């Protein structure tokens, strides 16, 4: 039975492969919103693939342009990254290191970007897209799902330093190499980290709930709906604070069709610790940008009445999914709902 085994160097690979790796390494020196207006769009599950807010397909393709066979492959990394919930930045960084920026024979001839090996010298794939999928699937199953979600945690299993089969001591370059590429890519997305306290704070001073997480008649549209958050009536211009550490994944006027229509000036923060999102709607002034890391309690904006709103208040949501999955914030915050 064949076993998926990963590692730069595993047993019985022979000297030829060590030599190949040496060559590879040398060559690599180098959205009161009235939440009924919620629309849904795109993939709603899992973590953002905005890694520091910058790793979209265009940015990634720019990075890959000079990386050998990886030129133009950003869509594969992002597609399978979303599918298997693995940060594309992490995958790309490992692939660059493993293949000497897309120049190794293993990736050029075998479409094997992750150094995936079975019992033989390495797996071969019919297309690079399939090889990228296999690499991401393997990282998801044998690493990320086990909590091995940073290069530091992955390396001892993927490329163990001091392994008996690592006679040339190449594995010790793995961590530096992968982290170097990761830095160029803007770092890991928050989901790959575990930052935060996991306990939300009330995002406003003197919380006064004007509308709870209830079925109601929308005060603006007159239509019956489920109100998907808490409304805190606040003086206009008062401070809105991040409920926990996180990364800003949306910060702008929510226009119709964006999934944030009706929320006015709205901020969505992704929280790594809880794998959840918090949303802050109807702001008068946004004080953060997409990609910005925020600390719990940090002021992210000012209370307003923008979007679908009848007066100054903060509409606050806790989401299990980036684009939905709202839960009642009141018990989470230790507040009595209304
Ligand atoms: Zn509301």
């Amino acid at each position: 039975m064949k076993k998926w085994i990963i590692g730069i160097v595993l047993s019985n690979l022979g000297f030829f492969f060590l030599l190949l790796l040496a060559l590879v390494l040398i060559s690599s020196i180098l959205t009161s919103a009235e939440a009924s207006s919620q629309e849904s769009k795109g993939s709603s599950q899992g973590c953002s693939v905005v890694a520091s807010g910058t790793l979209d397909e265009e940015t990634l393709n720019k990075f890959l342009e000079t990386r050998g066979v990886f030129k133009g492959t950003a869509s594969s990394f992002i597609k399978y990254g979303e599918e298997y919930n693995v940060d594309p930045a992490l995958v790309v960084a490992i692939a660059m290191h493993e293949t000497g920026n897309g120049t190794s024979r293993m990736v050029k001839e075998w479409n094997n970007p992750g150094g995936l090996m079975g019992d033989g010298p390495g797996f071969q794939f019919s297309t690079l897209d399939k090889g990228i999928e296999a690499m991401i699937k393997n990282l998801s199953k044998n690493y990320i799902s086990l909590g091995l979600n940073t290069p530091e945690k992955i390396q001892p299993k993927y490329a163990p330093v001091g392994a008996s089969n690592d006679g040339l001591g190449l594995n010790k370059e793995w961590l530096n190499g992968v982290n170097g590429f990761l830095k160029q890519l803007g770092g890991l997305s928050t989901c790959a980290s575990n930052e935060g306290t996991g306990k939300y704070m009330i995002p406003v001073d003197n919380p006064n709930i004007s509308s709870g997480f209830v079925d109601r008649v929308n005060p603006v549209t007159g239509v019956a709906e489920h109100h998907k958050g808490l409304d805190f009536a606040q003086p206009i211009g008062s401070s809105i604070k991040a409920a926990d550490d996180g990364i800003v994944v949306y910060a702008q006027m929510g226009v119709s069709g964006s999934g944030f229509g009706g929320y006015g000036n709205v901020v969505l923060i992704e929280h790594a610790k809880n794998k959840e999102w918090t949303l802050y709607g109807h702001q008068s002034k946004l004080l953060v940008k997409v990609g910005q890391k925020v600390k719990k309690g940090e002021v992210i904006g000012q209370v307003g009445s923008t979007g679908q709103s009848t007066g100054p208040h903060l509409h606050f949501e806790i989401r299990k999914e980036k684009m939905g999955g709202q839960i009642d914030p009141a018990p989470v915050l230790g507040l009595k709902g209304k």
Side-chain angles (χ1 to χ4, degrees):
M1 179 187 149
K2 276 198 178 179
K3 234 173 143 184
W4 282 92
I5 305 169
I6 275 211
I8 282 193
V9 178
L10 289 175
S11 59
N12 302 321
L13 289 175
F15 182 71
F16 160 77
F17 196 63
L18 284 171
L19 199 65
L20 179 68
L21 273 160
L23 287 171
V24 165
L25 283 170
I26 288 161
S27 71
S28 71
I29 291 174
L30 308 203
T31 137
S32 4
E34 311 310 18
S36 57
S37 58
Q38 259 208 69
E39 300 135 2
S40 119
K41 185 193 175 196
S43 142
S44 60
Q45 295 278 354
C47 291
S48 285
V49 291
V50 294
S52 304
T54 54
L55 194 61
D56 52 27
E57 191 171 320
E58 194 186 336
T59 307
L60 185 52
N61 266 332
K62 210 165 280 173
F63 174 87
L64 294 171
E65 193 149 25
T66 56
R67 318 277 168 169
V69 296
F70 290 115
K71 185 179 176 178
T73 60
S75 61
S76 293
F77 284 105
I78 288 175
K79 175 178 64 179
Y80 296 122
E82 283 181 338
E83 187 174 333
Y84 297 102
N85 204 9
V86 180
D87 189 342
L90 175 66
V91 182
V92 171
I94 294 174
M96 292 311 115
H97 182 77
E98 291 284 340
T99 64
N101 284 303
T103 61
S104 74
R105 181 174 167 251
M106 206 166 191
V107 72
K108 285 200 299 191
E109 294 179 14
W110 296 354
N111 296 309
N112 184 339
L116 286 177
M117 290 176 270
D119 300 329
F123 284 104
Q124 299 183 37
F125 301 94
S126 55
T127 63
L128 186 51
D129 182 78
K130 285 197 167 73
I132 289 171
E133 182 181 18
M135 177 186 180
I136 293 179
K137 227 170 140 174
N138 181 73
L139 275 168
S140 174
K141 189 182 165 204
N142 295 316
Y143 294 85
I144 307 299
S145 68
L146 305 176
L148 306 175
N149 55 10
T150 63
E152 286 72 20
K153 292 178 187 167
I154 291 169
Q155 184 265 328
K157 184 172 172 184
Y158 204 107
V161 171
S164 60
N165 49 31
D166 183 26
L168 297 176
L170 298 176
N171 286 1
K172 69 182 193 304
E173 301 300 325
W174 195 92
L175 193 55
N176 273 338
V178 171
N179 273 331
F181 286 117
L182 204 49
K183 202 173 167 188
Q184 293 176 50
L185 289 160
L188 288 174
S189 79
T190 51
C191 281
S193 77
N194 205 20
E195 288 171 28
T197 67
K199 195 166 179 343
Y200 299 124
M201 62 174 275
I202 300 169
V204 290
D205 296 327
N206 306 313
N208 171 29
I209 298 177
S210 52
S211 184
F213 192 77
V214 291
D215 293 324
R216 65 172 191 183
V217 173
N218 184 302
V220 175
T221 64
V223 175
E225 63 169 23
H226 178 70
H227 184 232
K228 293 175 177 168
L230 290 185
D231 288 349
F232 294 107
Q234 296 287 305
I236 196 149
S238 48
S239 293
I240 300 169
K241 297 165 180 173
D244 196 2
D245 299 355
I247 187 165
V248 178
V249 295
Y250 195 87
Q252 65 173 81
M253 174 62 73
V255 294
S256 184
S258 67
F260 296 96
Y263 286 107
N265 287 318
V266 58
V267 166
L268 185 68
I269 299 177
E270 185 169 290
H271 303 286
K273 188 79 173 180
N274 292 348
K275 301 285 184 277
E276 288 176 344
W277 290 259
T278 56
L279 176 144
Y280 312 75
H282 311 304
Q283 301 183 32
S284 57
K285 195 173 181 187
L286 299 170
L287 298 173
V288 290
K289 290 191 166 78
V290 169
Q292 188 174 332
K293 281 189 173 177
V294 293
K295 298 304 276 183
K296 182 176 182 173
E298 187 176 334
V299 177
I300 58 164
Q302 294 176 0
V303 170
S305 190
T306 54
Q308 225 184 89
S309 170
T310 52
H313 73 285
L314 170 68
H315 172 91
F316 176 72
E317 294 181 5
I318 297 176
R319 297 174 163 202
K320 291 287 190 188
E321 297 171 10
K322 189 179 177 186
M323 298 307 293
Q326 291 90 346
I327 60 170
D328 186 356
V332 177
L333 298 174
L335 293 169
K336 220 176 148 197
K338 193 170 182 177

